[in-house]
Amino acid sequence: MSRRSSDDGSSGIDVAGPNDGQAIVFVHGAMFTRKLWLPQVRGLADEYRVVAPDLPGHGVRADETFRMDPAIDLLKDVIETHTDGTAVLVGLSLGGYVATEYAYRRPGDVDGLVLTGASANPVGGMETVTRAVGGVSRLATRPDAGKRIVERLGVRWVNDRDLPEDVKREIIDAGIYPKQFGDAGPDVAGVDFRAKLSTYPGPTLILNGEHDKIMRRGERDHAAAATDGRIEVLADVGHICNLHRAETYTSRVRNFVRQQVVPAQ
């Protein structure tokens, strides 16, 4: 299969690494864009075919509203266009739920799963929490003033990370989209992602930050539901641990792919 590459940002898809390398597709969480994965894209492109798209509602797709079905369609197109037809999916937060849904719908496309900040199952009591958080987020970001406050907080959070200055700048310049945090809530609330994960036959890594308490509460049950699941925890960091400890996160993904993923022949 031929592959097209994009690095000018106009398509909302970053692609790097060798054409014949094992493909890894990174799926970002709500509010940020594909640039959230810039440390991992840079760190893994020496060995792997790395691809990071903007989800609906973010980056170049900011005029859309996040919904799961269009997100799945987008990933399908990304995998068909920029890989040999299969990839490891690495998803953080909302991106982890998108990756899980994709593996449920199209398991043959997925060589492995790395799920970060996505092991709380939004059913039962967590469904209520998810809907409530989404509702509060929508109310808080509906006025322009509220939206701007959240954007400023996001910029400050990125600037406080121990990252190269050019990485911080690319993440910030790509934009922060707080409205999508609230829009995504109703779309995932009530969905039994743990049951969906149990149908995926490949290897799964639950990779959480130590202080991501809500997600860690469900990580054992999540890993147990997976056909071939394991848990790793990054010390002294929280939800967006790929930026808190970028090099360590990158090395965990690399180790998982090397040790657990057999590339399709």
Side-chain angles (χ1 to χ4, degrees):
M1 176 181 293
S2 63
R3 303 178 181 178
R4 301 194 301 274
S5 295
S6 171
D7 58 9
D8 64 359
S10 62
S11 70
I13 304 170
D14 290 340
V15 184
N19 284 349
D20 59 352
Q22 163 69 50
I24 307 174
V25 175
F26 290 92
V27 192
H28 67 80
M31 289 184 55
F32 290 101
T33 71
R34 69 191 189 279
K35 296 300 182 180
L36 181 80
W37 296 111
L38 191 55
Q40 285 70 50
V41 169
R42 289 184 177 181
L44 294 167
D46 62 326
E47 184 175 356
Y48 300 107
R49 179 73 164 179
V50 288
V51 187
D54 282 337
L55 287 176
H58 303 78
V60 303
R61 299 183 178 86
D63 60 342
E64 304 171 25
T65 297
F66 178 85
R67 292 293 181 264
M68 184 63 75
D69 286 345
I72 296 301
D73 290 342
L74 170 67
L75 278 190
K76 179 176 178 291
D77 182 66
V78 165
I79 291 173
E80 288 179 348
T81 303
H82 297 290
T83 81
D84 276 338
T86 67
V88 175
L89 296 185
V90 181
L92 186 146
S93 196
L94 175 62
Y97 295 109
V98 174
T100 303
E101 182 70 26
Y102 192 91
Y104 169 71
R105 297 189 192 188
R106 302 182 62 86
D109 293 359
V110 182
D111 296 322
L113 283 173
V114 180
L115 305 176
T116 297
S119 47
N121 204 25
V123 297
M126 280 307 301
E127 176 182 356
T128 302
V129 171
T130 302
R131 292 189 186 281
V133 171
V136 170
S137 298
R138 288 191 298 278
L139 288 173
T141 57
R142 184 171 297 166
D144 286 343
K147 179 173 173 287
R148 288 195 297 270
I149 289 171
V150 177
E151 288 171 349
R152 286 198 296 270
L153 290 173
V155 168
R156 182 184 303 171
W157 186 91
V158 172
N159 278 324
D160 285 345
R161 304 283 71 79
D162 183 16
L163 295 167
E165 290 302 318
D166 64 317
V167 171
K168 294 179 185 179
R169 181 51 47 199
E170 283 204 45
I171 294 172
I172 292 169
D173 286 351
I176 296 171
Y177 302 88
K179 180 177 179 294
Q180 297 306 319
F181 187 83
D183 287 343
D187 215 45
V188 301
V191 179
D192 192 344
F193 287 98
R194 193 162 294 155
K196 294 189 173 191
L197 177 61
S198 71
T199 70
Y200 171 62
T204 299
L205 173 63
I206 309 298
L207 179 57
N208 285 330
E210 179 184 10
H211 301 312
D212 192 359
K213 299 302 185 182
I214 292 177
M215 298 301 163
R216 293 212 58 208
R217 207 170 289 149
E219 67 186 6
R220 290 186 181 276
D221 289 338
H222 225 60
T227 300
D228 179 13
R230 69 210 74 236
I231 298 169
E232 295 185 20
V233 177
L234 298 188
D236 298 324
V237 293
H239 189 63
I240 311 178
C241 56
N242 75 301
L243 294 184
H244 278 283
R245 295 184 61 192
E247 291 184 7
T248 303
Y249 188 96
T250 301
S251 70
R252 298 293 182 92
V253 172
R254 187 187 296 271
N255 289 343
F256 172 74
V257 176
R258 284 180 174 174
Q259 296 168 13
Q260 304 297 332
V261 177
V262 178
Q265 300 297 319

